[in-house]
Amino acid sequence: MATPQTTELNVFDPAADGTAALKSMTAIREFESRLPGYSREGLIRGSTHPSVGMEAIAVGVSHSLRATDSIASNHRGHAHCLAKGADAGRTLAEILGRRDGYCGGKGGSMHIGVKELGILGTNGIVGAGIGLATGAALAAQQQNSGDVAVAYFGDGASNQGVLAESFNLAAIWKLPVIFVCENNHFAQSATLEEMVAQPELRRRGEAYGVPSYDVDGMDVEAVANVTAEAVERARRGLGPTFIVADTYRYLGHMADDTEIYRTREQVEAWKDRDPIAKLAAKLVDHGTLTQEDVDAIAAEAEAAVDAAEAFAKASPFPDISQAFTQVSEDHR
């Protein structure tokens, strides 16, 4: 892991903000942990990619965002949507391909978009969200809205040419965009070291004149603070920021992943840095919460996902008559 840089802003107060962050991360963990089971039951058609272990990034980044700010996500994007305010029931309904999902069941796991929340979409095309977020930032700049855009992508997507192009344009035009690389150390099964000659990904942003930071992606407070500085710069018209968040996914790349590319010992070592356990322990140590409060938050998250699951499973599949709705006449 690269050495995290320090930031000047400390907007995340564990006493004031820690409980809400813990609730959000715990709910996302419960939601994401159930996805492999839905796949085994045949409830999910196609691939789905859980982000168990990576919750601190979505929650930490969203801490400084407002409803009108935009995010563009990737194939592992449910947490980003939920942290931005998406309803768990409608999100799961979309993942299951049901009519009450955000896209009427047509998008599925990798194509969830929520216009009213600024969610430009999860995306099955590696790196595609980078260009979308850069475009959204250009629109915000031209409209003088004061909004920012966030591009979420993984270490594998950092090799896509669109990142270099977007860095360059965003730096030249001082676009209000934050590039967030969730470096979980594997592009599906290939290690970062196998894929890049210079593993310090931060340097790629620096080469284009983009202020770039390494941050501990297993620490929601650290992520929130570095993002707050990036958002503040963007809203002031000072341009983009690149954040490389060091993290790890506990589950396989997707359902039925053999995971032969890593060891159980490596997974367990990363679990010792678990972002939820870390924050919970800090809040208990500081007297903000009791262990009973932490247990109650976990039970609340389980009940909330139970309700989301019931809603999604009860939602019907889209009718065949809707197959060509919301599609341009030119593309029928």
Side-chain angles (χ1 to χ4, degrees):
M1 174 183 173
T3 303
Q5 283 76 52
T6 58
T7 58
E8 296 179 1
L9 294 183
N10 290 292
V11 301
F12 188 95
D13 179 1
D17 304 314
T19 300
L22 182 64
K23 287 182 176 181
S24 183
M25 287 197 295
T26 303
I28 291 170
R29 171 73 59 86
E30 181 69 28
F31 184 98
E32 293 281 85
S33 295
R34 298 193 190 190
L35 296 180
Y38 299 145
S39 290
R40 288 190 293 270
E41 290 180 60
L43 294 172
I44 299 176
R45 302 186 182 189
S47 298
T48 188
H49 307 82
S51 59
V52 176
M54 300 168 59
E55 300 86 357
I57 300 174
V59 173
V61 169
S62 294
H63 183 75
S64 293
L65 301 182
R66 55 198 190 194
T68 53
D69 292 327
S70 299
I71 66 169
S73 186
N74 57 8
H75 59 282
R76 201 179 308 280
H78 316 133
H80 307 146
C81 297
L82 294 171
K84 189 65 163 61
D87 175 76
R90 293 193 66 189
T91 300
L92 184 56
E94 188 59 41
I95 293 170
L96 301 188
R98 305 303 178 95
R99 189 177 67 192
D100 294 311
Y102 275 111
C103 301
K106 298 177 181 180
S109 171
M110 288 187 279
H111 301 92
I112 302 171
V114 190
K115 182 179 179 180
E116 61 270 26
L117 294 176
I119 299 173
L120 303 178
T122 55
N123 206 307
I125 302 173
V126 175
I130 296 168
L132 295 177
T134 303
L138 175 60
Q141 183 187 73
Q142 292 181 335
Q143 294 165 358
N144 198 30
S145 66
D147 292 334
V148 304
V150 174
Y152 288 104
F153 55 96
D155 46 293
S158 70
N159 286 327
Q160 294 290 343
V162 67
L163 182 60
E165 296 175 37
S166 296
F167 275 159
N168 193 50
L169 285 176
I172 291 170
W173 295 340
K174 297 191 181 302
L175 299 182
V177 57
I178 296 98
F179 300 99
V180 179
C181 177
E182 297 177 299
N183 180 12
N184 64 23
H185 299 268
F186 290 98
Q188 187 162 342
S189 60
T191 66
L192 176 66
E193 290 74 18
E194 292 172 316
M195 299 296 289
V196 300
Q198 170 50 268
E200 291 186 46
L201 298 178
R202 180 193 74 253
R203 296 190 179 187
R204 297 189 177 192
E206 293 173 345
Y208 287 90
V210 177
S212 303
Y213 300 89
D214 290 310
V215 66
D216 182 357
M218 307 298 274
D219 185 335
V220 68
E221 182 176 356
V223 174
N225 284 331
V226 74
T227 305
E229 183 168 315
V231 169
E232 191 267 345
R233 288 187 68 258
R235 295 205 201 282
R236 288 172 52 205
L238 298 180
T241 301
F242 181 34
I243 298 170
V244 181
D246 197 61
T247 187
Y248 199 82
R249 53 171 169 80
Y250 298 165
L251 303 183
H253 173 71
M254 57 187 178
D256 298 323
D257 184 355
T258 61
E259 300 186 62
I260 60 174
Y261 50 86
R262 64 183 184 178
T263 65
R264 180 51 49 189
E265 291 74 19
Q266 184 186 69
V267 177
E268 293 303 318
W270 275 91
K271 286 184 177 180
D272 289 341
R273 296 172 53 189
D274 186 77
I276 296 175
K278 180 188 297 185
L279 179 59
K282 186 172 189 175
L283 296 177
V284 171
D285 288 346
H286 289 185
T288 303
L289 297 176
T290 65
Q291 185 56 51
E292 290 72 21
D293 293 328
V294 174
D295 294 340
I297 288 172
E300 179 183 307
E302 184 176 355
V305 180
D306 282 343
E309 181 179 314
F311 172 84
K313 288 182 175 179
S315 177
F317 289 102
D319 188 84
I320 190 65
S321 65
Q322 301 298 303
F324 293 105
T325 59
Q326 302 169 305
V327 178
S328 168
E329 288 284 347
D330 295 335
H331 294 86
R332 289 192 181 185

